[in-house]
Amino acid sequence: MSMKIAAVQMVSGPRPDENLDRAEARVAEAAAQGAELVALPEYFCLMGLRDRDKLAIAEPDGDGPIQRRLAQIAARHRVWLVAGSLPLAVPGDADHATNTTLVFDPEGRRAGRYDKIHLFRFDDGERRHDEAATLRAGHAPLALDITARDGRAHRTGVTICYDLRFPELYRQLATPPCDLMVVTAAFTWPTGQAHWELLLRARAVENQCWLLASAQGGLHENGRRTWGHSMVIDPWGQIVAELPEGEGVVVATLDDQRTAEIPPHVRIVAASIEPEEGAKTRRRRGSIRQGIQGPGGGEAAATGECPGGAGIRRSGREHFNAGAVAGRRAGIGERRRAAPGVDGCSATAGGDCNGIAGRDGEVGVVPRAGGVSA
């Protein structure tokens, strides 16, 4: 079974109405080519002249002209619309919004909401940018069933831009397995040139699923240049369709047969990782911090420095093995797949600080023998 999917690439400006008109024109173009699912890029509705411009158009959840227009676009063109992203208001906090992807079904009904979890931050001494100055990070990953016209349900994970650097988020979304991961982004030119394709193909191969990446791609009125290269990647990591720069659409067919053709000797098989007999774990209360500074004020991760950007501060009760978290700056702690309450991204043994955290009051497990060094 198969389903056509499409990524819209835009060079959005500071006027939301114009951006929405251009977005709908591209959705119509994709639908005319048979696309059943269409993804819009991060900040399709606004690339402001100043960082705080997004706060002026932030809408309350479930109401507002942008959300109404998106529902109309999905219904008018009879597509699943992954609209990522737009700012939604944070109740009681006029200084922050969420960076949100909304998913609408072909009837125009909202099917899902995802707030960007990992917030970008850098400071090289000359330039500084911190998304957390105007954004509130999300905490709940989103995967949902997208039902094609042939009746087949395709489990689809949704992520935004900087999330791409955190593989454990994708691994969580892939449990149970996803048929498709969607990435909406506005990657900068330097980081896009260096890492965009590399990271996208890695996420597709790691999770053996299709990947649809919708990006901003060009020189914007605010002077910013985004990388573009919207693309579709198959589960073997091959680029099926790509648009390097400028506005347009890329369309490809999500073919279940391509997934089935993955050689058996490299096919990922779900398996439980059990601690060695007699292994001891260390219980830790409090918070596990990911990134440099999360919305709760977390600093460096408890398991080592986090050169990655801002992320989430999670609380609760986690079980960690001392040997799995000590001294392995580039390592990734494996988790026991049967552990209850895994949610989001949190502490591992170093590098990007990606791993698994328990929800409040629940438990995540890292076995003594589970660490894998890079």
Side-chain angles (χ1 to χ4, degrees):
M1 293 185 179
S2 61
M3 175 178 70
K4 279 195 174 182
I5 56 178
V8 171
Q9 185 159 289
M10 297 182 65
V11 187
S12 298
R15 293 169 292 279
D17 289 344
E18 291 181 15
N19 294 327
L20 283 165
D21 288 343
R22 299 211 314 272
E24 179 162 12
R26 296 303 179 187
V27 171
E29 181 181 343
Q33 296 182 51
E36 299 183 50
L37 180 148
V38 183
L40 299 175
E42 184 180 27
Y43 291 130
F44 66 88
C45 58
L46 179 77
M47 290 288 280
L49 301 178
R50 292 164 296 277
D51 217 26
R52 293 183 64 83
D53 287 356
K54 65 175 72 73
L55 300 177
I57 68 163
E59 299 178 349
D61 185 25
D63 185 40
I66 297 174
Q67 293 171 81
R68 289 193 293 270
R69 180 74 181 273
L70 292 171
Q72 292 166 3
I73 292 171
R76 184 157 36 241
H77 300 286
R78 304 296 298 165
V79 296
W80 287 87
L81 184 63
V82 181
S85 59
L86 67 154
L88 291 185
V90 175
D93 184 356
D95 293 322
H96 293 84
T98 57
N99 188 2
T100 299
T101 294
L102 297 177
V103 182
F104 296 87
D105 72 11
E107 302 293 330
R109 298 170 299 202
R110 197 169 96 176
R113 168 180 172 170
Y114 170 67
D115 297 339
K116 184 179 180 182
I117 290 175
H118 301 99
L119 300 183
F120 180 63
R121 176 184 179 184
F122 80 91
D123 185 349
D124 64 6
E126 296 181 3
R127 298 165 299 168
R128 185 177 186 275
H129 180 70
D130 185 1
E131 285 190 318
T134 55
L135 293 178
R136 177 78 60 85
H139 59 85
L142 173 66
L144 71 163
D145 285 337
I146 301 294
T147 304
R149 292 169 192 153
D150 63 9
R152 164 82 154 84
H154 298 270
R155 180 173 163 84
T156 301
V158 177
T159 63
I160 301 174
C161 203
Y162 194 54
D163 287 334
L164 186 59
R165 295 187 180 273
F166 297 84
E168 285 301 324
L169 172 59
Y170 290 79
R171 182 50 51 89
Q172 185 192 0
L173 289 169
T175 310
C178 279
D179 302 293
L180 173 68
M181 297 282 191
V182 178
V183 181
T184 67
F187 252 62
T188 64
W189 178 271
T191 57
Q193 188 175 37
H195 297 146
W196 172 247
E197 179 185 322
L198 172 71
L199 291 168
L200 291 172
R201 295 177 71 184
R203 299 296 87 85
V205 171
E206 287 167 350
N207 299 290
Q208 294 181 352
C209 66
W210 288 82
L211 193 142
L212 178 68
S214 174
Q216 297 279 351
L219 183 62
H220 302 265
E221 287 186 43
N222 60 13
R224 180 180 174 187
R225 189 179 182 188
T226 47
W227 175 243
H229 292 78
S230 296
M231 62 181 71
V232 181
I233 302 172
D234 74 12
W236 195 239
Q238 300 300 307
I239 297 173
V240 177
E242 180 178 11
L243 177 62
E245 194 170 16
E247 295 202 341
V249 298
V250 291
V251 181
T253 299
L254 189 162
D255 187 353
D256 293 338
Q257 183 60 33
R258 189 71 188 94
T259 306
E261 290 171 357
I262 294 174
H265 67 281
V266 294
R267 195 167 295 156
I268 296 172
V269 178
S272 296
I273 301 174
E274 298 293 342
E276 293 177 353
E277 186 175 353
K280 295 179 180 179
T281 58
R282 178 165 57 90
R283 176 168 292 179
R284 181 186 193 122
R285 274 184 198 273
S287 62
I288 298 303
R289 303 172 181 91
Q290 176 174 326
I292 295 174
Q293 185 172 356
E299 304 84 23
T303 57
E305 286 186 20
C306 297
I312 310 169
R313 179 173 180 168
R314 295 199 181 279
S315 62
R317 181 181 298 176
E318 290 81 37
H319 282 258
F320 290 93
N321 171 267
V325 298
R328 293 187 292 107
R329 295 295 304 279
I332 296 177
E334 294 281 347
R335 65 183 171 90
R336 190 173 68 192
R337 191 169 295 274
V342 294
D343 181 25
C345 308
S346 73
T348 60
D352 289 328
C353 298
N354 306 318
I356 301 298
R359 292 179 182 155
D360 291 356
E362 294 182 341
V363 176
V365 176
V366 177
R368 178 175 294 274
V372 179
S373 294

